[in-house]
Coordinates of all heavy atoms in Angstrom, one line a residue:
M1 N 47.4 138.2 96.1 CA 46.4 137.3 96.7 C 45.7 136.5 95.6 O 45.3 137.0 94.6 CB 45.4 138.1 97.5 CG 44.4 137.2 98.1 SD 43.2 138.2 99.2 CE 44.4 138.5 100.5
A2 N 45.7 135.2 95.8 CA 45.1 134.3 94.9 C 43.6 134.4 94.9 O 43.0 134.6 96.0 CB 45.5 132.9 95.1
V3 N 42.9 134.4 93.8 CA 41.5 134.4 93.7 C 41.0 133.0 93.8 O 41.5 132.0 93.2 CB 41.0 135.0 92.3 CG1 39.5 134.9 92.2 CG2 41.5 136.4 92.2
V4 N 40.0 132.8 94.7 CA 39.4 131.5 94.9 C 38.3 131.3 93.9 O 37.6 132.2 93.6 CB 38.8 131.4 96.3 CG1 38.1 130.0 96.6 CG2 39.9 131.7 97.4
S5 N 38.3 130.1 93.3 CA 37.3 129.8 92.2 C 36.3 128.8 92.7 O 36.5 128.1 93.7 CB 38.0 129.2 91.0 OG 38.4 127.9 91.2
E6 N 35.1 128.8 92.0 CA 34.1 127.8 92.3 C 34.6 126.4 92.2 O 34.1 125.5 93.0 CB 32.9 128.0 91.4 CG 31.7 128.7 92.1 CD 30.5 128.7 91.2 OE1 29.9 127.7 90.9 OE2 30.2 129.8 90.7
R7 N 35.5 126.2 91.3 CA 36.0 124.9 91.1 C 36.8 124.4 92.4 O 36.7 123.2 92.8 CB 37.0 124.9 89.9 CG 37.5 123.5 89.6 CD 38.4 123.7 88.3 NE 38.6 122.5 87.7 CZ 39.5 122.3 86.8 NH1 40.3 123.3 86.5 NH2 39.7 121.1 86.3
E8 N 37.5 125.3 93.0 CA 38.3 125.0 94.2 C 37.3 125.0 95.4 O 37.6 124.3 96.4 CB 39.4 126.0 94.4 CG 40.4 126.1 93.4 CD 41.3 127.3 93.4 OE1 40.7 128.4 93.5 OE2 42.5 127.1 93.5
Y9 N 36.3 125.8 95.4 CA 35.4 125.9 96.6 C 34.0 126.0 96.1 O 33.4 127.1 95.9 CB 35.8 127.1 97.4 CG 35.0 127.3 98.6 CD1 34.9 126.3 99.6 CD2 34.2 128.5 98.8 CE1 34.1 126.5 100.7 CE2 33.5 128.7 99.9 CZ 33.4 127.7 100.9 OH 32.6 127.9 102.0
P10 N 33.3 124.9 95.8 CA 32.0 124.9 95.3 C 31.0 125.7 96.1 O 30.0 126.2 95.5 CB 31.6 123.4 95.2 CG 32.8 122.7 95.3 CD 33.8 123.5 96.1
G11 N 31.2 125.9 97.4 CA 30.2 126.6 98.2 C 30.2 128.1 97.9 O 29.3 128.8 98.4
M12 N 31.0 128.6 97.0 CA 31.0 130.1 96.7 C 29.7 130.5 96.0 O 29.3 131.6 96.1 CB 32.2 130.4 95.8 CG 33.5 130.5 96.5 SD 34.8 131.0 95.5 CE 34.4 132.7 95.2
R13 N 29.0 129.5 95.4 CA 27.7 129.9 94.8 C 26.8 130.5 95.8 O 25.9 131.2 95.5 CB 27.1 128.6 94.1 CG 27.7 128.3 92.8 CD 26.9 127.1 92.2 NE 27.1 125.9 93.0 CZ 28.0 125.0 92.9 NH1 28.9 125.1 91.9 NH2 28.0 123.9 93.7
A14 N 27.0 130.2 97.1 CA 26.1 130.7 98.1 C 26.2 132.2 98.2 O 25.3 132.8 98.8 CB 26.5 130.0 99.5
Y15 N 27.2 132.8 97.7 CA 27.4 134.3 97.8 C 26.7 135.0 96.7 O 26.5 136.2 96.8 CB 28.9 134.6 97.7 CG 29.7 134.2 98.9 CD1 30.7 133.3 98.9 CD2 29.4 134.8 100.2 CE1 31.4 132.9 100.0 CE2 30.1 134.4 101.3 CZ 31.1 133.5 101.2 OH 31.8 133.1 102.3
S16 N 26.3 134.3 95.6 CA 25.7 135.0 94.5 C 24.4 135.6 94.9 O 23.5 135.0 95.6 CB 25.4 134.0 93.4 OG 24.8 134.6 92.3
G17 N 24.2 136.9 94.6 CA 23.0 137.7 95.0 C 23.0 138.2 96.4 O 22.1 138.7 96.8
R18 N 24.1 137.9 97.2 CA 24.2 138.4 98.6 C 24.8 139.7 98.6 O 25.4 140.2 97.7 CB 25.0 137.4 99.4 CG 24.5 135.9 99.4 CD 23.3 135.7 100.2 NE 23.5 136.0 101.5 CZ 22.8 135.7 102.5 NH1 21.7 135.0 102.3 NH2 23.0 136.1 103.8
T19 N 24.8 140.3 99.8 CA 25.4 141.6 100.0 C 26.1 141.6 101.3 O 25.8 140.8 102.2 CB 24.3 142.7 100.0 OG1 23.4 142.5 101.1 CG2 23.6 142.8 98.7
A20 N 27.1 142.5 101.5 CA 27.9 142.5 102.7 C 28.4 143.9 102.9 O 28.8 144.6 101.9 CB 29.0 141.5 102.7
V21 N 28.5 144.4 104.1 CA 29.2 145.6 104.5 C 30.3 145.1 105.5 O 30.1 144.4 106.5 CB 28.3 146.6 105.3 CG1 29.1 147.8 105.7 CG2 27.2 147.0 104.3
I22 N 31.6 145.5 105.1 CA 32.7 145.0 105.9 C 33.6 146.2 106.4 O 34.1 146.9 105.5 CB 33.6 144.0 105.1 CG1 32.7 142.8 104.7 CG2 34.8 143.6 105.8 CD1 33.4 141.9 103.7
T23 N 33.6 146.4 107.7 CA 34.4 147.5 108.2 C 35.9 147.0 108.2 O 36.2 145.9 108.3 CB 34.0 147.8 109.6 OG1 34.3 146.7 110.5 CG2 32.6 148.2 109.7
G24 N 36.8 148.0 107.9 CA 38.2 147.7 107.8 C 38.6 146.9 106.6 O 39.6 146.3 106.6
G25 N 37.7 146.8 105.6 CA 37.9 146.0 104.4 C 39.0 146.4 103.4 O 39.1 145.7 102.4
G26 N 39.7 147.4 103.8 CA 40.7 147.9 102.8 C 42.0 147.1 102.8 O 42.8 147.2 101.9
S27 N 42.3 146.3 103.9 CA 43.6 145.6 104.0 C 43.5 144.4 104.9 O 42.5 144.3 105.6 CB 44.7 146.6 104.4 OG 44.4 147.0 105.8
G28 N 44.5 143.6 104.8 CA 44.7 142.5 105.8 C 43.6 141.5 105.7 O 43.0 141.2 104.7
V29 N 43.3 140.9 106.9 CA 42.3 139.9 106.9 C 40.9 140.4 106.5 O 40.1 139.6 106.0 CB 42.2 139.2 108.3 CG1 41.7 140.1 109.4 CG2 41.5 137.9 108.3
D30 N 40.6 141.6 106.8 CA 39.3 142.2 106.4 C 39.2 142.3 104.9 O 38.1 142.1 104.4 CB 39.1 143.6 107.1 CG 39.2 143.4 108.6 OD1 38.6 142.4 109.1 OD2 39.8 144.2 109.3
F31 N 40.3 142.6 104.2 CA 40.2 142.6 102.7 C 40.0 141.2 102.2 O 39.1 141.0 101.3 CB 41.5 143.1 102.1 CG 41.6 143.0 100.6 CD1 41.0 144.0 99.9 CD2 42.2 142.0 100.0 CE1 41.0 143.9 98.5 CE2 42.2 141.8 98.6 CZ 41.6 142.8 97.9
A32 N 40.6 140.2 102.8 CA 40.4 138.8 102.4 C 39.0 138.4 102.7 O 38.4 137.7 102.0 CB 41.4 137.9 103.2
T33 N 38.4 138.9 103.8 CA 37.0 138.7 104.1 C 36.1 139.2 103.0 O 35.1 138.6 102.7 CB 36.6 139.3 105.5 OG1 37.5 138.7 106.5 CG2 35.2 139.1 105.9
A34 N 36.4 140.4 102.5 CA 35.7 141.0 101.4 C 35.9 140.2 100.0 O 34.9 140.1 99.2 CB 36.0 142.4 101.2
R35 N 37.1 139.8 99.8 CA 37.4 139.1 98.5 C 36.6 137.9 98.2 O 36.1 137.7 97.1 CB 38.9 138.7 98.6 CG 39.4 137.9 97.5 CD 40.1 138.7 96.4 NE 39.1 139.1 95.4 CZ 39.4 140.0 94.4 NH1 40.5 140.6 94.4 NH2 38.5 140.2 93.5
T36 N 36.4 137.0 99.2 CA 35.7 135.8 99.0 C 34.2 136.0 98.5 O 33.8 135.4 97.5 CB 35.7 134.9 100.2 OG1 37.1 134.6 100.5 CG2 35.0 133.6 100.0
P37 N 33.4 136.8 99.2 CA 32.1 137.0 98.7 C 32.0 137.7 97.3 O 31.2 137.4 96.5 CB 31.4 137.8 99.8 CG 32.4 138.2 100.7 CD 33.6 137.4 100.5
V38 N 32.9 138.7 97.1 CA 33.0 139.4 95.8 C 33.3 138.3 94.7 O 32.6 138.3 93.7 CB 34.0 140.5 95.8 CG1 34.3 141.0 94.4 CG2 33.5 141.7 96.6
D39 N 34.2 137.5 94.9 CA 34.6 136.5 93.9 C 33.4 135.5 93.7 O 33.3 134.9 92.6 CB 35.8 135.7 94.4 CG 37.1 136.5 94.3 OD1 37.1 137.5 93.6 OD2 38.1 136.0 94.8
G40 N 32.6 135.3 94.7 CA 31.4 134.5 94.6 C 30.2 135.1 94.1 O 29.1 134.5 94.0
G41 N 30.3 136.4 93.7 CA 29.1 137.1 93.1 C 28.4 138.1 94.0 O 27.4 138.7 93.6
A42 N 28.8 138.3 95.2 CA 28.2 139.2 96.1 C 28.6 140.6 95.8 O 29.6 140.9 95.2 CB 28.5 138.9 97.6
R43 N 27.8 141.6 96.3 CA 28.1 143.0 96.2 C 28.5 143.4 97.6 O 27.9 143.1 98.6 CB 26.9 143.8 95.7 CG 26.6 143.4 94.3 CD 25.5 144.3 93.8 NE 26.0 145.7 93.8 CZ 25.5 146.7 93.2 NH1 24.4 146.5 92.4 NH2 25.9 147.9 93.2
V44 N 29.7 144.1 97.7 CA 30.3 144.3 99.0 C 30.6 145.8 99.2 O 31.2 146.4 98.2 CB 31.6 143.5 99.2 CG1 32.3 143.8 100.5 CG2 31.2 142.0 99.2
V45 N 30.4 146.4 100.3 CA 30.8 147.7 100.7 C 31.9 147.5 101.7 O 31.7 146.8 102.7 CB 29.7 148.5 101.3 CG1 30.2 149.9 101.8 CG2 28.5 148.7 100.3
I46 N 33.1 148.1 101.5 CA 34.2 148.1 102.4 C 34.3 149.5 103.0 O 34.0 150.5 102.3 CB 35.5 147.6 101.9 CG1 36.0 148.5 100.7 CG2 35.4 146.1 101.5 CD1 37.3 148.2 100.2
T47 N 34.8 149.6 104.2 CA 35.0 150.9 104.8 C 36.3 150.9 105.6 O 36.7 149.9 106.1 CB 33.8 151.3 105.7 OG1 33.9 152.7 106.2 CG2 33.6 150.4 106.9
G48 N 36.8 152.1 105.8 CA 38.1 152.3 106.5 C 38.4 153.7 106.6 O 37.8 154.6 106.0
R49 N 39.5 154.0 107.3 CA 39.9 155.4 107.4 C 40.8 156.0 106.4 O 40.9 157.2 106.2 CB 40.5 155.6 108.8 CG 39.5 155.4 109.9 CD 40.1 155.6 111.3 NE 41.1 154.5 111.4 CZ 41.9 154.3 112.5 NH1 41.8 155.1 113.5 NH2 42.7 153.3 112.5
S50 N 41.6 155.1 105.7 CA 42.5 155.6 104.7 C 42.0 155.5 103.3 O 41.7 154.5 102.7 CB 43.8 154.7 104.7 OG 44.6 155.0 103.6
R51 N 41.8 156.7 102.7 CA 41.2 156.8 101.3 C 42.1 156.0 100.3 O 41.6 155.3 99.5 CB 41.1 158.3 100.9 CG 40.7 158.5 99.4 CD 39.5 157.8 98.9 NE 38.3 158.1 99.6 CZ 37.2 157.3 99.5 NH1 37.2 156.2 98.8 NH2 36.1 157.6 100.1
A52 N 43.4 156.2 100.4 CA 44.3 155.6 99.4 C 44.2 154.0 99.6 O 44.2 153.3 98.5 CB 45.8 156.0 99.7
T53 N 44.2 153.5 100.8 CA 44.1 152.1 101.0 C 42.8 151.5 100.5 O 42.7 150.5 99.8 CB 44.2 151.7 102.5 OG1 45.5 152.2 102.9 CG2 44.1 150.2 102.8
L54 N 41.7 152.3 100.7 CA 40.4 151.9 100.2 C 40.3 151.9 98.7 O 39.7 151.0 98.1 CB 39.3 152.8 100.8 CG 39.0 152.5 102.3 CD1 38.0 153.6 102.8 CD2 38.3 151.2 102.5
D55 N 40.8 152.9 98.1 CA 40.8 153.0 96.7 C 41.5 151.9 96.0 O 41.1 151.3 95.0 CB 41.4 154.4 96.2 CG 40.4 155.5 96.5 OD1 39.3 155.3 96.8 OD2 40.9 156.7 96.4
A56 N 42.7 151.5 96.6 CA 43.5 150.4 96.0 C 42.7 149.1 96.2 O 42.7 148.2 95.3 CB 44.8 150.3 96.7
A57 N 42.1 148.9 97.4 CA 41.3 147.7 97.6 C 40.1 147.6 96.7 O 39.8 146.5 96.1 CB 40.9 147.6 99.1
R58 N 39.4 148.7 96.5 CA 38.2 148.7 95.7 C 38.6 148.3 94.2 O 37.9 147.6 93.6 CB 37.6 150.1 95.8 CG 36.2 150.1 95.3 CD 36.0 150.2 94.0 NE 35.4 150.6 92.9 CZ 35.4 149.8 91.8 NH1 35.9 148.7 91.8 NH2 34.8 150.2 90.7
E59 N 39.8 148.9 93.8 CA 40.3 148.6 92.4 C 40.5 147.1 92.3 O 40.2 146.5 91.3 CB 41.5 149.4 92.2 CG 42.0 149.2 90.8 CD 41.2 149.9 89.7 OE1 40.5 150.9 90.0 OE2 41.2 149.4 88.6
R60 N 41.1 146.5 93.3 CA 41.4 145.0 93.3 C 40.1 144.2 93.4 O 40.1 143.1 92.8 CB 42.4 144.7 94.4 CG 43.8 145.2 94.2 CD 44.7 145.0 95.4 NE 44.8 143.7 95.8 CZ 45.2 143.3 97.0 NH1 45.5 144.2 97.9 NH2 45.3 142.0 97.3
L61 N 39.1 144.7 94.1 CA 37.9 143.9 94.2 C 37.0 144.0 93.0 O 36.2 143.1 92.7 CB 37.1 144.4 95.5 CG 37.7 144.1 96.8 CD1 37.0 144.8 97.9 CD2 37.8 142.6 97.1
G62 N 37.1 145.1 92.3 CA 36.3 145.2 91.0 C 34.9 145.9 91.2 O 34.6 146.5 92.2
A63 N 34.1 145.7 90.2 CA 32.9 146.5 90.1 C 31.8 146.1 91.1 O 30.9 146.9 91.4 CB 32.3 146.4 88.7
N64 N 31.9 144.9 91.7 CA 31.0 144.5 92.7 C 31.3 145.0 94.1 O 30.7 144.5 95.1 CB 30.8 143.0 92.8 CG 29.9 142.5 91.7 OD1 29.2 143.3 91.0 ND2 29.8 141.2 91.6
A65 N 32.2 146.0 94.2 CA 32.6 146.6 95.5 C 32.6 148.1 95.4 O 32.8 148.7 94.4 CB 34.0 146.1 95.9
V66 N 32.3 148.7 96.6 CA 32.4 150.1 96.7 C 33.1 150.4 98.0 O 33.0 149.7 99.0 CB 31.0 150.8 96.6 CG1 30.2 150.5 97.8 CG2 31.2 152.3 96.5
A67 N 33.9 151.5 98.0 CA 34.7 151.8 99.2 C 34.1 153.1 99.8 O 33.9 154.1 99.0 CB 36.1 152.0 98.9
V68 N 33.9 153.2 101.1 CA 33.3 154.3 101.8 C 34.3 154.7 102.9 O 34.5 153.9 103.8 CB 31.9 154.1 102.4 CG1 31.4 155.3 103.1 CG2 31.0 153.6 101.3
R69 N 35.0 155.9 102.7 CA 35.9 156.3 103.8 C 35.2 156.8 105.0 O 34.2 157.5 104.9 CB 36.8 157.4 103.2 CG 38.1 157.5 104.1 CD 38.6 158.9 104.3 NE 37.7 159.8 105.1 CZ 37.6 159.7 106.5 NH1 38.2 158.8 107.2 NH2 36.8 160.5 107.1
G70 N 35.6 156.3 106.1 CA 35.0 156.7 107.4 C 35.6 156.0 108.6 O 36.3 155.0 108.4
D71 N 35.3 156.5 109.7 CA 35.7 155.9 111.0 C 34.5 155.4 111.7 O 33.6 156.1 112.0 CB 36.4 157.0 111.8 CG 37.0 156.5 113.1 OD1 36.7 155.4 113.6 OD2 37.9 157.3 113.6
V72 N 34.5 154.1 112.0 CA 33.3 153.5 112.7 C 33.1 154.0 114.1 O 32.0 153.8 114.7 CB 33.4 152.0 112.7 CG1 33.4 151.4 111.3 CG2 34.6 151.5 113.4
A73 N 34.1 154.8 114.6 CA 33.9 155.4 115.9 C 33.1 156.8 115.8 O 32.8 157.4 116.8 CB 35.2 155.7 116.6
S74 N 32.9 157.2 114.6 CA 32.2 158.5 114.3 C 30.7 158.2 113.9 O 30.5 157.5 112.9 CB 32.9 159.3 113.2 OG 32.1 160.3 112.7
L75 N 29.8 158.7 114.6 CA 28.4 158.5 114.3 C 28.0 159.2 112.9 O 27.2 158.6 112.2 CB 27.5 159.1 115.4 CG 27.5 158.3 116.7 CD1 26.6 159.0 117.7 CD2 27.1 156.9 116.5
T76 N 28.6 160.3 112.6 CA 28.4 161.0 111.3 C 28.9 160.1 110.2 O 28.2 159.9 109.2 CB 29.1 162.3 111.3 OG1 28.6 163.2 112.4 CG2 29.0 163.0 110.0
D77 N 30.1 159.5 110.4 CA 30.7 158.6 109.4 C 29.8 157.3 109.2 O 29.6 156.8 108.1 CB 32.1 158.2 109.7 CG 33.1 159.4 109.5 OD1 32.7 160.4 109.0 OD2 34.3 159.2 109.8
L78 N 29.3 156.8 110.3 CA 28.4 155.7 110.2 C 27.1 156.0 109.5 O 26.6 155.2 108.7 CB 28.1 155.1 111.6 CG 29.2 154.4 112.3 CD1 28.8 154.0 113.8 CD2 29.6 153.1 111.6
D79 N 26.6 157.2 109.7 CA 25.4 157.6 108.9 C 25.7 157.6 107.4 O 24.9 157.2 106.6 CB 24.9 159.0 109.4 CG 24.2 159.0 110.7 OD1 23.7 157.9 111.1 OD2 24.0 160.0 111.3
T80 N 26.9 158.2 107.1 CA 27.3 158.2 105.7 C 27.5 156.8 105.1 O 27.0 156.5 104.0 CB 28.6 159.0 105.5 OG1 28.4 160.3 106.0 CG2 29.1 159.0 104.1
L81 N 28.1 155.9 105.9 CA 28.2 154.5 105.5 C 26.9 153.9 105.2 O 26.7 153.2 104.2 CB 29.0 153.8 106.5 CG 29.1 152.2 106.3 CD1 29.8 151.9 105.0 CD2 29.8 151.6 107.5
A82 N 26.0 154.1 106.1 CA 24.6 153.5 105.9 C 23.9 154.0 104.7 O 23.4 153.2 103.9 CB 23.8 153.8 107.2
D83 N 24.0 155.3 104.4 CA 23.4 155.9 103.2 C 24.0 155.4 102.0 O 23.4 155.0 101.0 CB 23.5 157.4 103.3 CG 22.6 158.0 104.3 OD1 21.7 157.3 104.9 OD2 22.9 159.2 104.7
R84 N 25.4 155.4 101.9 CA 26.1 154.9 100.7 C 25.9 153.4 100.5 O 25.7 153.0 99.4 CB 27.6 155.2 100.8 CG 28.0 156.6 100.8 CD 28.2 157.3 99.5 NE 28.9 156.5 98.5 CZ 30.3 156.5 98.4 NH1 31.0 157.2 99.2 NH2 30.8 155.8 97.5
A85 N 25.9 152.6 101.6 CA 25.7 151.2 101.4 C 24.3 150.9 100.9 O 24.1 150.1 100.0 CB 25.9 150.5 102.8
A86 N 23.3 151.6 101.5 CA 21.9 151.4 101.0 C 21.7 151.7 99.5 O 21.1 151.0 98.8 CB 20.9 152.2 101.9
A87 N 22.4 152.8 99.1 CA 22.3 153.2 97.7 C 23.0 152.2 96.8 O 22.5 151.8 95.7 CB 22.9 154.6 97.5
F88 N 24.2 151.8 97.2 CA 24.9 150.9 96.3 C 24.3 149.5 96.3 O 24.2 148.8 95.3 CB 26.4 150.7 96.8 CG 27.2 149.7 96.1 CD1 27.6 150.0 94.8 CD2 27.6 148.6 96.7 CE1 28.4 149.1 94.1 CE2 28.4 147.6 96.0 CZ 28.8 147.9 94.7
L89 N 23.9 149.0 97.4 CA 23.4 147.6 97.5 C 21.9 147.5 97.1 O 21.4 146.4 96.8 CB 23.6 147.1 98.9 CG 25.1 147.0 99.3 CD1 25.2 146.6 100.8 CD2 25.9 146.1 98.5
A90 N 21.2 148.6 97.2 CA 19.7 148.6 96.9 C 19.0 147.5 97.5 O 18.4 146.6 96.9 CB 19.5 148.6 95.3
F91 N 19.1 147.4 98.8 CA 18.6 146.3 99.6 C 17.2 145.8 99.2 O 17.1 144.6 98.9 CB 18.6 146.6 101.1 CG 19.9 146.8 101.7 CD1 20.3 148.0 102.2 CD2 20.8 145.7 101.8 CE1 21.6 148.1 102.8 CE2 22.0 145.8 102.4 CZ 22.4 147.1 102.9
E92 N 16.2 146.6 99.3 CA 14.9 146.1 99.1 C 14.6 145.7 97.7 O 13.9 144.7 97.5 CB 13.9 147.3 99.5 CG 13.9 147.7 101.0 CD 15.0 148.7 101.3 OE1 15.7 149.2 100.4 OE2 15.3 148.9 102.5
A93 N 15.0 146.4 96.7 CA 14.7 146.1 95.3 C 15.5 144.9 94.8 O 14.9 144.1 94.1 CB 14.9 147.3 94.5
T94 N 16.7 144.8 95.1 CA 17.6 143.8 94.5 C 17.9 142.6 95.3 O 17.9 141.5 94.8 CB 18.9 144.5 94.1 OG1 18.7 145.7 93.3 CG2 19.7 143.5 93.2
Y95 N 18.0 142.8 96.6 CA 18.4 141.7 97.5 C 17.5 141.6 98.7 O 17.8 142.0 99.8 CB 19.9 142.0 98.0 CG 20.8 142.1 96.9 CD1 21.3 143.3 96.4 CD2 21.3 140.9 96.3 CE1 22.2 143.3 95.4 CE2 22.2 141.0 95.2 CZ 22.7 142.2 94.8 OH 23.6 142.3 93.8
P96 N 16.3 141.1 98.4 CA 15.3 141.1 99.5 C 15.6 140.2 100.6 O 15.0 140.2 101.7 CB 14.0 140.6 98.8 CG 14.5 139.8 97.6 CD 15.8 140.5 97.2
T97 N 16.6 139.3 100.5 CA 17.0 138.4 101.6 C 17.9 139.1 102.6 O 18.2 138.5 103.6 CB 17.7 137.2 101.0 OG1 18.9 137.6 100.4 CG2 16.9 136.4 100.1
G98 N 18.3 140.3 102.4 CA 19.1 141.0 103.4 C 20.5 141.0 103.1 O 20.9 140.8 102.0
A99 N 21.3 141.3 104.1 CA 22.8 141.5 103.9 C 23.5 141.0 105.1 O 23.0 140.8 106.2 CB 23.1 142.9 103.6
E100 N 24.8 140.9 105.0 CA 25.7 140.5 106.0 C 26.4 141.8 106.5 O 26.7 142.7 105.7 CB 26.8 139.6 105.5 CG 26.3 138.4 104.8 CD 25.4 137.5 105.6 OE1 25.7 137.3 106.8 OE2 24.4 137.0 105.0
L101 N 26.8 141.9 107.8 CA 27.6 143.0 108.3 C 28.7 142.3 109.0 O 28.5 141.5 110.0 CB 26.8 143.9 109.3 CG 27.6 144.9 110.1 CD1 28.3 145.9 109.1 CD2 26.8 145.6 111.1
V102 N 30.0 142.6 108.6 CA 31.2 142.2 109.3 C 31.8 143.4 109.9 O 32.4 144.2 109.2 CB 32.1 141.5 108.3 CG1 33.4 141.0 109.0 CG2 31.4 140.3 107.6
A103 N 31.6 143.5 111.2 CA 32.2 144.7 111.9 C 33.5 144.2 112.6 O 33.5 143.8 113.8 CB 31.2 145.2 113.0
D104 N 34.5 144.2 111.8 CA 35.8 143.6 112.3 C 36.9 144.6 112.4 O 37.8 144.4 113.2 CB 36.2 142.5 111.3 CG 37.3 141.6 111.9 OD1 37.3 141.4 113.1 OD2 38.0 141.0 111.1
G105 N 36.9 145.7 111.6 CA 38.0 146.6 111.6 C 37.8 147.6 112.7 O 36.7 148.0 113.1
G106 N 38.9 148.0 113.3 CA 38.9 149.0 114.3 C 39.9 148.7 115.4 O 40.3 147.6 115.6
A107 N 40.2 149.7 116.2 CA 41.1 149.6 117.3 C 40.7 150.6 118.3 O 40.1 151.6 118.0 CB 42.6 149.8 116.9
T108 N 41.1 150.4 119.5 CA 40.9 151.4 120.6 C 42.1 151.4 121.5 O 42.8 150.5 121.6 CB 39.6 151.0 121.4 OG1 39.3 152.1 122.3 CG2 39.8 149.7 122.2
Q109 N 42.3 152.5 122.1 CA 43.3 152.6 123.1 C 42.8 152.4 124.5 O 41.8 153.0 124.9 CB 43.9 154.1 123.0 CG 45.2 154.2 123.8 CD 45.8 155.6 123.6 OE1 45.1 156.5 123.2 NE2 47.1 155.7 123.8
L110 N 43.4 151.5 125.2 CA 43.0 151.2 126.6 C 43.7 152.0 127.6 O 44.8 152.4 127.5 CB 43.2 149.7 126.9 CG 42.4 148.8 126.0 CD1 42.7 147.4 126.3 CD2 40.9 149.0 126.2

């Protein structure tokens, strides 16, 4: 996947100092959703059910990302995600403007 630069997309500066939590961020369109803010200077937490997929995605995203394994259908896993995200992103001290939440990953059986 190509990395987008500020030269190609000047609006990326808008991500500097921002934070995001992206469900399903380990692969596909959700990974791409995580890539853009990370490349623009944001700190991002990605979550998903596959540890191997998340570890690979986190490695590709770099130091401004953290991966938290969990299932968004599990209240226990959501509590863990909230705790880990708060610790990594340090909302109040570092990013007083708040954060973005992209709740995009997930599937259900009808």
Side-chain angles (χ1 to χ4, degrees):
M1 176 175 290
V3 175
V4 178
S5 71
E6 256 187 68
R7 186 177 197 197
E8 296 167 308
Y9 181 60
M12 284 184 66
R13 282 185 295 269
Y15 292 115
S16 182
R18 304 285 301 192
T19 61
V21 176
I22 301 172
T23 64
S27 63
V29 71
D30 301 319
F31 175 81
T33 300
R35 170 98 268 167
T36 299
V38 166
D39 288 347
R43 296 186 60 165
V44 174
V45 175
I46 58 172
T47 188
R49 292 178 295 176
S50 168
R51 171 54 58 200
T53 300
L54 285 171
D55 287 346
R58 200 276 209 217
E59 186 69 28
R60 290 172 55 201
L61 290 171
N64 275 355
V66 68
V68 179
R69 201 218 65 77
D71 185 341
V72 296
S74 163
L75 293 178
T76 301
D77 287 358
L78 285 174
D79 285 342
T80 299
L81 171 62
D83 291 344
R84 295 272 316 274
F88 176 71
L89 299 174
F91 290 114
E92 295 82 10
T94 309
Y95 300 102
T97 59
E100 312 296 324
L101 171 63
V102 180
D104 194 30
T108 188
Q109 187 174 25
L110 298 176

